Amino acid sequence: MIRNQDTPGALLDPTDVRGMFDRIVQRYDLMNRLMTGGRDVAWRREAARIAIGSGADRGMDVATGTGDLAFELHRQGIPLVAGIDFSGGMLRAAESKRLSAGTKGVTFVQGDAMHLPFPDATFDALTIAWGLRNLPDYAAGIQELARVLRPEGRLVILEMTPLQNPLLRRAFDLYFQNAVPVIGGIISGDWQAYRYLPESVGAFPPAVELAGMMRGAGLRNVRYKLVGGGTVALHIGIRN
Ligand SMILES: C[S@@+](CC[C@H](N)C(=O)[O-])C[C@H]1O[C@@H](n2cnc3c(N)ncnc32)[C@H](O)[C@@H]1O
């Protein structure tokens, strides 16, 4: 169901978002590799590196999906990492990866990013990759992420961002709005999910606006770096 929005947030209701990710989980990782030419792996690696900074004891990856960024935070040195998601299907896939790799320092938790089941100031590194765009209220979601960050802790948001150059945007939209739904539809069997993806990116606020929301949530040194030819942004902020 399309949401009636009075604050900037996802185009779909949370229940529909969860159902959609439960349906596409089988081919989710494969579709990511195909759509980004495998670059998503390097972007997650960079997100983890920035979130860790000079070191972190406790990390969390929110909207973790199949868990890749949670594993990356652990691989890069955080001893205890939580991965949280509200989709049972995605979490089962993440847990099965964890079991086959025998990873001990990562725990997956089912929960809502809008109401994280952790006390204030619990984590010193927080990441969310391609998850914020699916939350019902972006500003409130960022505030909830900031709430569980310790002072000096780092938040990294990895997310699609609307291209600012109109010519490049038209060229990218041709690929994104036409090819992605077809490839996604054929590979995942879920045409609706891969139509929602370009629609949700088209409606997503520009990086400067998101930076404003991060400052409004009590984060400082807010900045962002564009990757993927300007189609993806790594947003960074430090908790006051
Ligand atoms: C596009 S996937 C990203 C998965 C993963 N972060 C990655 O890097 O591939 C978005 C994920 O956000 C999760 N999600 C969306 N809204 C959520 C919410 N309110 N609370 C928890 N998880 C949510 C979905 O279940 C899905 O697994």
Side-chain angles (χ1 to χ4, degrees):
M1 190 209 293
I2 299 289
R3 282 181 68 237
N4 179 12
Q5 286 166 294
D6 35 24
T7 51
L11 297 176
L12 293 178
D13 274 339
T15 321
D16 295 322
V17 170
R18 188 171 52 221
M20 182 177 74
F21 284 105
D22 277 340
R23 288 197 309 274
I24 64 169
V25 57
Q26 299 300 341
R27 298 288 164 87
Y28 176 79
D29 286 349
L30 172 65
M31 268 308 291
N32 276 350
R33 297 305 103 79
L34 288 176
M35 283 187 301
T36 66
R39 296 299 298 153
D40 61 306
V41 177
W43 297 332
R44 281 194 202 84
R45 206 178 298 137
E46 183 159 11
R49 185 184 58 76
I50 297 169
I52 293 170
S54 55
D57 294 329
R58 277 180 159 217
M60 174 161 65
D61 180 42
V62 179
T64 195
T66 59
D68 288 354
L69 186 45
F71 293 124
E72 190 59 37
L73 289 169
H74 183 55
R75 205 173 296 133
Q76 289 193 29
I78 307 188
L80 291 176
V81 176
I84 185 163
D85 202 287
F86 68 2
S87 154
M90 294 294 255
L91 281 184
R92 276 189 291 280
E95 180 61 10
S96 114
K97 282 185 192 172
R98 193 190 70 76
L99 289 173
S100 20
T103 307
K104 294 232 163 46
V106 179
T107 308
F108 291 108
V109 181
Q110 191 161 19
D112 186 351
M114 301 299 294
H115 306 281
L116 293 166
F118 296 98
D120 296 358
T122 302
F123 299 96
D124 28 33
L126 262 194
T127 52
I128 178 166
W130 298 288
L132 186 76
R133 187 169 25 87
N134 297 297
L135 302 187
D137 182 330
Y138 302 140
I142 293 171
Q143 275 167 19
E144 179 62 356
L145 295 169
R147 179 185 70 76
V148 297
L149 256 188
R150 288 180 183 155
E152 301 303 316
R154 290 169 170 224
L155 169 65
V156 175
I157 301 174
L158 175 59
E159 190 49 91
M160 303 298 296
T161 192
L163 270 164
Q164 294 307 298
N165 179 311
L167 276 179
L168 287 179
R169 185 166 179 167
R170 276 184 49 198
F172 179 70
D173 283 354
L174 269 178
Y175 155 72
F176 209 49
Q177 290 174 359
N178 297 295
V180 163
V182 174
I183 301 168
I186 292 168
I187 289 182
S188 74
D190 197 308
W191 294 73
Q192 191 222 329
Y194 288 93
R195 272 196 300 265
Y196 164 75
L197 173 60
E199 279 169 16
S200 65
V201 173
F204 197 65
V208 274
E209 226 173 276
L210 213 69
M213 292 181 198
M214 291 175 75
R215 285 189 199 97
L219 299 164
R220 66 174 160 77
N221 288 21
V222 171
R223 61 201 189 279
Y224 60 86
K225 174 183 173 181
L226 298 177
V227 293
T231 59
V232 174
L234 277 152
H235 296 266
I236 303 129
I238 298 179
R239 185 81 171 96
N240 277 321

